Amino acid sequence: MKTSPLLGVLLLVSLVDTNVVVASFFDSFNLILNRGPGVPAASIQSPSAAPGPTPYPNAAPGPASTQPSSSETSFNGSWELIRNSSGVSVMHLVITKENKAVMFDATHFGSSKIRLPEGNCRPDPTGKRNIDDCWAHAVEYDFVNDNLRPLKVLTNTWCSSGGMAADGTLVQTGGFLDGGRAVRYLNTCSTCDWVEYRTALSVNRWYATQQILPDGSFIVVGGRREFSYEFVPAPGQSNPSNYMLRFLIETTDNVENNLYPFLHLSTDGNLFIFANNRSILLDPRTHAIVREFPPLADGGSHNYPASASSALFPLRIRGNPDSPVPAEVIICGGAEHKSAALASVDKIFLPAFRTCGRLVITNPNATWHMEQMPTRRVMGDMLLLPTADALIINGASNGTSGWGWAESPNLEPLLYKPTAKKGKRFRRLTPATIPRMYHAASAVLPDTSILIAGSNPNMRYNYTAKYPTEFRVERFSPPYLDPALALHRPKIVKEATPTTVKHRESFEIVFSSADLLLELGNLMVSMYAPPFTTHGYSMGQRLLLLSIAELSRVSSERWQLKVTAPPTAAVAPPGYYIVFVVNRGVPSEGAWVQVHN
């Protein structure tokens, strides 16, 4: 039976639970020498029945049917220490479809705080010492049950890259020394461990960036003194060569400042690449540069070690699957070109930037639109939230990425609302008490809280430094987790919701809600691709706002939303996504859905 959402409906459900090295010695040496780097429910139409609003670029909020109203709250978030030790210092972090967090570090920093199983030690990869390394340098963290499982990574994962494959396997590339050309695979079963191919890549990829493409393959771009890109080969195979990208040569400087380039897959299948202060659109199928954008002219650099934050704004899917989906990126923070040199050699820590630039990468005539953050920030994480807002968290206010190259931890998270009016987009949230600087990471969990771990701005594990190696793990609850808003929090009925969908396919999401005045105009369905986060950048992060066709009541306790899956693999590459139902700005706990062709 369908009923008008304008009528209050008493649902017999209980309330939702409210708790629901550019920094190596060699890097510093290079700097000292100033050397270069070698519808309806009771006939209510869906938002997609009419032309959609201009997406995020400089747009005022759309009508209520396209911009769900938010429940107001003065709650600015809360912090909770959930574990005293992660076992390893968390340099890299990714969430799996089994609701686990894979967390790992480099392999050469010495003893961690968790051992490998008896008889499963790691041999010294250099062969110079006749001893085994019995310490784990990677763990799988069950954040639901608070359990750690040590993982045995063999080659050095220091400052490497990664992403989640279409089948949910973690594919992880590059690193340092013996790990520079490696590709590693981690299936996410309860007993799985790393499988590694040491010579899969054509060159060493240290500080490179990885991105999944529409066909499910991965591209890896850049790295220290590597001005090229290549595609991850099939397991067991090796790349004989790569593709030169002069753009990476043009964007380097005496401290590089173009490492970990920002990669964002555009909705037309082209790849946006940002390095230092410039950006291009590359067609990875033809290897042609389709477009070069104007420089981000704020006077500074934005990639490692200047380490700004970047994200692809949520992609709004309209009712017509053939309608183009505009795409916009944002880059916030960064540092002056010379900041790393001054910090590393002279211990002068220049103020980080407050600037944010937004660019519509699907617009051939795109220009940057600038604004200011409330605080300065370098090496912070930018995470897309289920509500289509962004969270900027971690980092410092002065200096750059690197061992001891930053001061003044920025403890204050920022909430950014892309569709608000300029000047009203930022909100300052409850500060942290633990500095999270170089080598920290964070992730959005399926329960919509934020997992935060890591921080080690030291050459090795150091527990007495000004900013010691950090093993504590925290959760941050954003404002939408205010207990006073629990009434509005939907609950997805997972057993009545599909676990796999095809592109363009209509499917139903069943949920319960205690909200007495459930309205279609206040509902949104978002679909999130969890990223691989390291060094202040979340690789492969993507949030989709699905087209809603219908809201209907299916029982006294349950409602059903009919939605449409993303139209193409360029809009949503194949893989596992977390689906959320958002009511009045309050998201449900997520449900995993696999999207495929």
Side-chain angles (χ1 to χ4, degrees):
M1 161 180 133
K2 296 180 182 178
T3 184
S4 169
L6 301 177
L7 298 177
V9 179
L10 179 61
L11 300 179
L12 304 177
V13 294
S14 59
L15 288 179
V16 179
D17 184 2
T18 62
N19 293 323
V20 206
V21 239
V22 194
S24 67
F25 167 79
F26 301 103
D27 301 327
S28 299
F29 184 69
N30 285 336
L31 288 169
I32 291 170
L33 295 180
N34 196 29
R35 289 169 57 181
V39 171
S43 301
I44 292 181
Q45 296 297 317
S46 77
S48 57
T54 302
Y56 293 112
N58 311 304
S65 61
T66 59
Q67 300 289 335
S69 66
S70 298
S71 299
E72 296 297 327
T73 176
S74 59
F75 178 66
N76 284 322
S78 64
W79 292 84
E80 177 189 6
L81 179 66
I82 60 172
R83 190 174 184 88
N84 282 318
S85 177
S86 54
V88 301
S89 184
V90 181
M91 181 187 294
H92 311 90
L93 173 61
V94 66
I95 303 303
T96 74
K97 60 185 173 62
E98 287 79 17
N99 293 330
K100 310 285 179 62
V102 178
M103 309 188 293
F104 55 103
D105 195 13
T107 61
H108 70 295
F109 288 171
S111 304
S112 67
K113 291 192 173 184
I114 185 170
R115 287 186 172 272
L116 291 166
E118 189 72 28
N120 192 32
C121 295
R122 169 181 173 267
D124 174 20
T126 66
K128 295 179 179 180
R129 301 178 302 167
N130 190 25
I131 60 174
D132 288 338
D133 179 4
C134 297
W135 297 96
H137 303 289
V139 296
E140 181 188 73
Y141 176 44
D142 181 342
F143 48 79
V144 177
N145 299 301
D146 189 31
N147 293 322
L148 280 180
R149 181 171 72 93
L151 299 172
K152 183 179 178 181
V153 61
L154 296 173
T155 58
N156 201 333
T157 53
W158 187 17
C159 303
S160 52
S161 52
M164 303 304 288
D167 65 355
T169 300
L170 172 58
V171 180
Q172 213 268 320
T173 53
F176 186 59
L177 295 179
D178 64 306
R181 295 177 58 197
V183 175
R184 309 168 193 86
Y185 298 84
L186 180 63
N187 290 319
T188 51
C189 71
S190 60
T191 59
C192 290
D193 213 330
W194 295 97
V195 175
E196 306 189 31
Y197 300 92
R198 293 171 181 256
T199 59
L201 301 177
S202 64
V203 295
N204 292 327
R205 299 290 176 184
W206 192 28
Y207 296 92
T209 305
Q210 180 176 326
Q211 171 66 48
I212 193 170
L213 297 175
D215 63 0
S217 66
F218 286 100
I219 189 171
V220 186
V221 179
R224 294 219 64 199
R225 303 180 182 90
E226 297 296 347
F227 311 111
S228 63
Y229 63 91
E230 59 187 294
F231 303 91
V232 175
Q237 297 185 11
S238 297
N239 286 338
S241 61
N242 52 62
Y243 300 88
M244 176 61 65
L245 187 61
R246 289 196 58 83
F247 169 75
L248 294 177
I249 301 176
E250 296 166 0
T251 54
T252 194
D253 56 31
N254 68 309
V255 291
E256 298 181 271
N257 276 323
N258 71 344
L259 301 178
Y260 278 129
F262 300 142
L263 303 186
H264 298 295
L265 178 64
S266 183
T267 54
D268 56 9
N270 294 316
L271 186 67
F272 176 82
I273 306 177
F274 184 98
N276 203 325
N277 63 353
R278 291 173 53 192
S279 53
I280 59 172
L281 203 61
L282 174 75
D283 187 336
R285 300 151 293 197
T286 65
H287 311 288
I289 295 178
V290 176
R291 186 176 305 133
E292 181 162 1
F293 298 99
L296 180 52
D298 58 2
S301 298
H302 307 85
N303 294 90
Y304 185 95
S307 295
S309 305
S310 181
L312 176 71
F313 276 145
L315 301 173
R316 186 177 301 280
I317 314 301
R318 301 179 182 181
N320 181 356
D322 296 318
S323 296
V325 179
E328 182 181 17
V329 301
I330 184 170
I331 296 171
C332 291
E336 293 190 26
H337 298 288
K338 60 184 178 181
S339 285
L342 290 174
S344 63
V345 178
D346 301 319
K347 298 304 174 185
I348 297 173
F349 306 102
L350 297 182
F353 284 6
R354 293 175 56 203
T355 50
C356 287
R358 296 167 56 148
L359 184 73
V360 185
I361 63 176
T362 47
N363 180 357
N365 302 310
T367 57
W368 290 96
H369 295 266
M370 306 302 295
E371 57 191 311
Q372 297 277 317
M373 295 186 289
T375 60
R376 302 179 181 274
R377 195 179 306 259
V378 66
M379 59 186 170
D381 294 331
M382 185 181 292
L383 298 175
L384 300 177
L385 300 177
T387 55
D389 298 331
L391 180 72
I392 307 174
I393 198 166
N394 300 338
S397 300
N398 294 76
T400 68
S401 292
W403 285 336
W405 295 5
E407 282 286 347
S408 307
N410 191 326
L411 302 174
E412 189 174 53
L414 296 176
L415 185 68
Y416 182 80
K417 292 185 170 294
T419 57
K421 293 182 179 179
K422 187 175 180 179
K424 302 289 186 180
R425 293 171 181 161
F426 286 101
R427 176 177 173 181
R428 304 169 82 148
L429 303 180
T430 303
T433 57
I434 300 174
R436 303 285 185 179
M437 299 171 69
Y438 189 45
H439 292 153
S442 59
V444 178
L445 298 182
D447 70 359
T448 73
S449 67
I450 312 301
L451 185 73
I452 300 100
S455 188
N456 185 26
N458 309 296
M459 189 172 292
R460 296 175 68 87
Y461 285 8
N462 188 324
Y463 310 119
T464 61
K466 182 177 181 180
Y467 303 111
T469 306
E470 186 59 67
F471 288 86
R472 288 173 291 181
V473 182
E474 297 177 284
R475 281 183 194 256
F476 177 69
S477 296
Y480 53 63
L481 288 178
D482 181 354
L485 299 180
L487 170 71
H488 303 304
R489 187 171 170 90
K491 184 176 182 179
I492 294 177
V493 182
K494 296 179 181 179
E495 62 270 21
T497 299
T499 56
T500 62
V501 297
K502 294 182 178 180
H503 290 107
R504 294 178 174 240
E505 181 181 28
S506 293
F507 66 101
E508 290 77 34
I509 300 173
V510 178
F511 68 97
S512 60
S513 174
D515 197 334
L516 299 180
L517 294 173
L518 201 65
E519 297 185 21
L520 181 61
N522 289 331
L523 291 170
M524 179 172 70
V525 175
S526 57
M527 177 179 281
Y528 183 62
F532 179 94
T533 298
T534 187
H535 288 75
Y537 182 54
S538 293
M539 304 179 191
Q541 181 173 223
R542 209 168 188 83
L543 187 77
L544 310 160
L545 307 180
L546 302 187
S547 174
I548 302 176
E550 182 179 295
L551 170 69
S552 58
R553 182 180 174 186
V554 295
S555 74
S556 61
E557 300 181 354
R558 296 180 177 182
W559 295 78
Q560 176 177 280
L561 282 167
K562 185 175 182 180
V563 299
T564 303
T568 68
V571 174
Y576 282 86
Y577 293 73
I578 310 176
V579 173
F580 303 92
V581 175
V582 183
N583 176 37
R584 299 177 182 267
V586 183
S588 68
E589 184 174 320
W592 288 94
V593 175
Q594 186 180 26
V595 178
H596 60 96
N597 291 317

